Amino acid sequence: MSGSIQPSRPARQLEFTRRPGPDAGRPIALAALFFYHAGTMLDLKFIKDNLDAVRRNIENRFMKADPELVVRLSDERSAAIQALDEKRRRRNEVAALMKGKLDEPARAALIAEGKSLKDDISALESRAETVEKELADAMSRIPNMAHPEAPVGKEDKDNLEVKRVGTPTKFDFEPRDHVALGALLDVLDFDAGTKVTGTKFYFLKNEGVILEMALMRFAMDRLMAKGFMPFSTPDLAKTEILEGIGFNPRGAESNIYALAEEDLCLIGTAEITLGGYYAGQVLDKADLPLKLVGVSHCFRREAGAAGQFSKGLYRVHQFTKAEMFVYCLPEDSGKLHEELRLIEEEIFTALDIPFRVVDTCTGDLGAPAYRKWDLEAWMPGRNGGEWGEVTSTSNCTDFQSRRLNVRYKDDDGKNKFVHGLNGTVLACSRAIVAILENFQEADGSVRMPKALVPYTGFELIRPKAKR
RNA sequence: GGAGUGGUGUCCGAGCGGUUUAAGGAGGCGGUCUUGAAAACCGUUGUACCGAAAGGUACCGGGGGUUCGAAUCCCCCCUGCUCCGCCA
């Protein structure tokens, strides 16, 4: 016996590092299920038939991908499979012949041919597998097509403002930023976060904790009332799922933390886990649209983001978020995308936070999105008052369902890919920035938005005396 | 984490080297019969890929191996259940 609180065995290291080597220890099962069988035909057919449009789309998004390579590898793949199938057909034929009575020379000849076929098949299989992998890799780099009306541009400043709700908050005093307010109210501690975990980590304290819980419950109540099924998801997911949703878990530019010794990554959003929930399934058409809302922690490396907006809660390595996810019939995704945006608008309207809506430009869409709306809240403490992204909703059409192999059985009896959409309900970090900065008073006190009071149980957070 | 025991088509469930091109049920679909229905009987019944088509190939949890030939034998892994250990 020991009164020690030490663990009986060493805790597994959960290092925030990238994976040690390419594909280290990665099981192939899911990859086989999702990629090598997943509807490559439609995809390929589209790329072949619309090569120019595909190439132009890649340029508009300022991405690197090679559709010609996809076409070439696709042809190679077909040839390899044809050769392989023919050998296998003959092998089966030879094996069938062996079932009957045979004289010794005929028998020996068949065995010899069978042996030779076995070698041929083995060689052809490895060639086909190589081509298949190269093709899957080349295809995975091709981004989704963009909505024809999405503004063409490179960076977020090319996004198009389409709507404004409320007016930027005015103060008859010099407003503080949320970092100063967080310290004054003792609801936010970045120094301790840095000491214990690292830069861009933080502790919520006191009313800050309750505010986060209130925001989540507020979000869930509203979404459940709209028929969304609530989830609390894992905070980690397998690499295959990440890739299926369209994230690149590896590479220096990756925004994803990968565990050093397992095929797992910390999720950057519950979009990953909610989208993965139905991976590999054929959904009942009558159940569509499936509307999910999930709470999770979100982890982002934000490598190289140590610039001007790096201070405070705006860009952090971990935050809590409620996220919507929808799988629907292809013909309904446009309508549902509007619905998700309206929900996001409703949430921020209910919180009395001024915001605008932007139509995200092609360069800022990310590979999976066909179209994306961002909500930008007014943040009085940001550079003396600026719009800052608080939520985002994307229509990813069949980009994710194709990779995750999520389908529905249509009336014609064929299995077809569903469309997938996602949208932020509330990201706690940025919502808290907006609330602290917009609802501050001259002495640094912060009022709670009326809609939130039933959830927080308090109306005002007052400055704390220094201890 | 340890031990035992399973993972077969939409479902249940046989098969344990070539008579299985996966038996037999159930369900679904189509048909016969019937005033209608039930019953009975007959037929049909998945997914993916290659191919202009005819047709072919693959799939019995996943991967690899043995063999002329594997659902069937061997190895590894995943996963369900039962028990033990540990733990919130």
Side-chain angles (χ1 to χ4, degrees):
Chain A
M1 60 133 257
S2 81
S4 166
I5 57 164
Q6 293 300 315
S8 57
R9 64 198 150 101
R12 180 185 293 143
Q13 282 191 332
L14 298 180
E15 293 175 11
F16 289 168
T17 59
R18 276 181 284 123
R19 299 173 52 70
D23 297 325
R26 178 175 164 202
I28 325 203
L30 285 176
L33 173 63
F34 296 149
F35 287 108
Y36 305 141
H37 294 282
T40 48
M41 195 184 94
L42 270 180
D43 218 0
L44 280 170
K45 194 172 175 188
F46 182 86
I47 293 171
K48 283 180 177 176
D49 293 349
N50 302 276
L51 203 50
D52 285 340
V54 169
R55 200 185 296 110
R56 203 175 327 119
N57 178 55
I58 293 165
E59 286 164 10
N60 286 346
R61 287 168 176 264
F62 298 89
M63 296 180 73
K64 287 196 176 71
D66 189 348
E68 280 84 2
L69 178 66
V70 169
V71 172
R72 198 171 74 238
L73 286 170
S74 154
D75 293 342
E76 276 182 42
R77 170 176 172 274
S78 294
I81 288 175
Q82 279 175 53
L84 179 58
D85 280 359
E86 170 54 26
K87 292 286 183 188
R88 289 209 269 229
R89 191 200 58 74
R90 178 59 186 162
R91 177 198 60 192
N92 293 345
E93 194 173 59
V94 168
L97 289 171
M98 298 281 297
K99 285 198 279 193
K101 290 190 210 103
L102 293 167
D103 57 41
E104 219 22 66
R107 186 178 180 80
L110 284 177
I111 288 179
E113 183 177 0
K115 286 191 180 188
S116 150
L117 281 169
K118 187 159 65 164
D119 291 342
D120 294 347
I121 287 170
S122 172
L124 285 169
E125 276 176 347
S126 75
R127 199 181 107 210
E129 192 186 338
T130 303
V131 174
E132 188 91 51
K133 274 185 186 152
E134 285 172 1
L135 177 62
D137 186 57
M139 283 203 357
S140 74
R141 293 168 198 278
I142 307 280
N144 200 355
M145 298 302 287
H147 191 286
E149 286 168 35
V152 174
K154 188 170 187 178
E155 303 162 318
D156 51 5
K157 63 170 176 286
D158 299 318
N159 295 342
L160 184 69
E161 178 177 323
V162 295
K163 188 178 197 175
R164 231 176 238 218
V165 175
T167 49
T169 314
K170 295 272 195 303
F171 298 94
D172 51 14
F173 55 90
E174 187 62 33
R176 299 168 164 95
D177 70 18
H178 71 279
V179 177
L181 290 165
L184 190 65
L185 304 177
D186 199 20
V187 293
L188 206 46
D189 191 332
F190 290 98
D191 293 339
T194 300
K195 178 177 70 181
V196 171
T197 308
T199 56
K200 294 184 190 162
F201 285 93
Y202 55 95
F203 286 77
L204 291 174
K205 295 172 68 180
N206 299 312
E207 291 96 329
V209 181
I210 306 306
L211 177 54
E212 173 171 292
M213 296 167 85
L215 283 167
M216 288 299 95
R217 183 62 199 264
F218 166 76
M220 294 314 260
D221 276 2
R222 292 222 154 209
L223 271 287
M224 284 188 283
K226 292 178 186 300
F228 283 69
M229 184 182 293
F231 287 82
S232 172
T233 89
D235 288 338
L236 293 87
K238 295 180 185 178
T239 303
E240 282 81 7
I241 303 293
L242 275 280
E243 288 172 344
I245 291 291
F247 283 83
N248 277 320
R250 293 177 229 103
E253 74 292 343
S254 175
N255 203 12
I256 298 292
Y257 289 112
L259 297 202
E261 298 187 4
E262 308 216 23
D263 183 38
L264 287 173
C265 303
L266 295 173
I267 59 171
T269 162
E271 173 192 351
I272 293 163
T273 41
L274 292 175
Y277 190 86
Y278 292 102
Q281 284 187 229
V282 179
L283 304 171
D284 192 334
K285 186 174 179 180
D287 293 338
L288 299 176
L290 287 168
K291 297 178 174 180
L292 323 177
V293 58
V295 185
S296 81
H297 294 114
C298 304
F299 301 88
R300 301 186 180 183
R301 291 177 64 214
E302 305 295 356
Q308 51 180 335
F309 300 134
S310 66
K311 197 176 68 161
L313 266 184
Y314 188 78
R315 196 175 294 285
V316 287
H317 288 316
Q318 178 183 335
F319 56 95
T320 305
K321 178 162 68 69
E323 177 81 5
M324 302 177 275
F325 196 96
V326 174
Y327 277 130
C328 68
L329 296 174
E331 57 266 35
D332 293 338
S333 68
K335 186 186 69 190
L336 280 156
H337 194 206
E338 295 299 300
E339 193 177 319
L340 295 191
R341 197 195 71 231
L342 286 171
I343 290 172
E344 298 184 7
E345 292 183 15
E346 265 182 48
I347 294 278
F348 277 82
T349 303
L351 291 175
D352 296 319
I353 295 171
F355 66 90
R356 64 174 191 170
V357 181
V358 303
D359 194 347
T360 305
C361 75
T362 48
D364 217 21
L365 277 177
Y370 173 68
R371 196 172 209 188
K372 173 149 86 178
W373 307 103
D374 283 355
L375 259 66
E376 300 181 341
W378 183 252
M379 298 184 174
R382 193 181 188 207
N383 280 344
E386 250 186 2
W387 301 105
E389 181 187 336
V390 278
T391 70
S392 173
T393 178
S394 300
N395 180 2
C396 297
T397 63
D398 61 356
F399 186 85
Q400 297 171 327
S401 63
R402 190 180 293 283
R403 292 163 160 235
L404 290 171
N405 200 17
V406 183
R407 295 169 298 168
Y408 69 98
K409 192 175 283 295
D410 206 353
D411 298 332
D412 60 9
K414 296 234 195 286
N415 292 331
K416 297 176 182 170
F417 292 108
V418 295
H419 276 196
L421 305 99
N422 64 82
T424 322
V425 189
L426 273 175
C428 279
S429 49
R430 291 189 180 180
I432 289 174
V433 171
I435 288 172
L436 292 182
E437 294 188 357
N438 281 292
F439 292 88
Q440 60 178 303
E441 301 189 339
D443 67 349
S445 297
V446 172
R447 281 182 294 111
M448 290 296 106
K450 280 197 181 63
L452 224 44
V453 173
Y455 294 100
T456 57
F458 51 79
E459 296 179 8
L460 190 72
I461 308 177
R462 292 193 172 80
K464 307 283 187 300
K466 276 275 179 229
R467 279 191 293 162

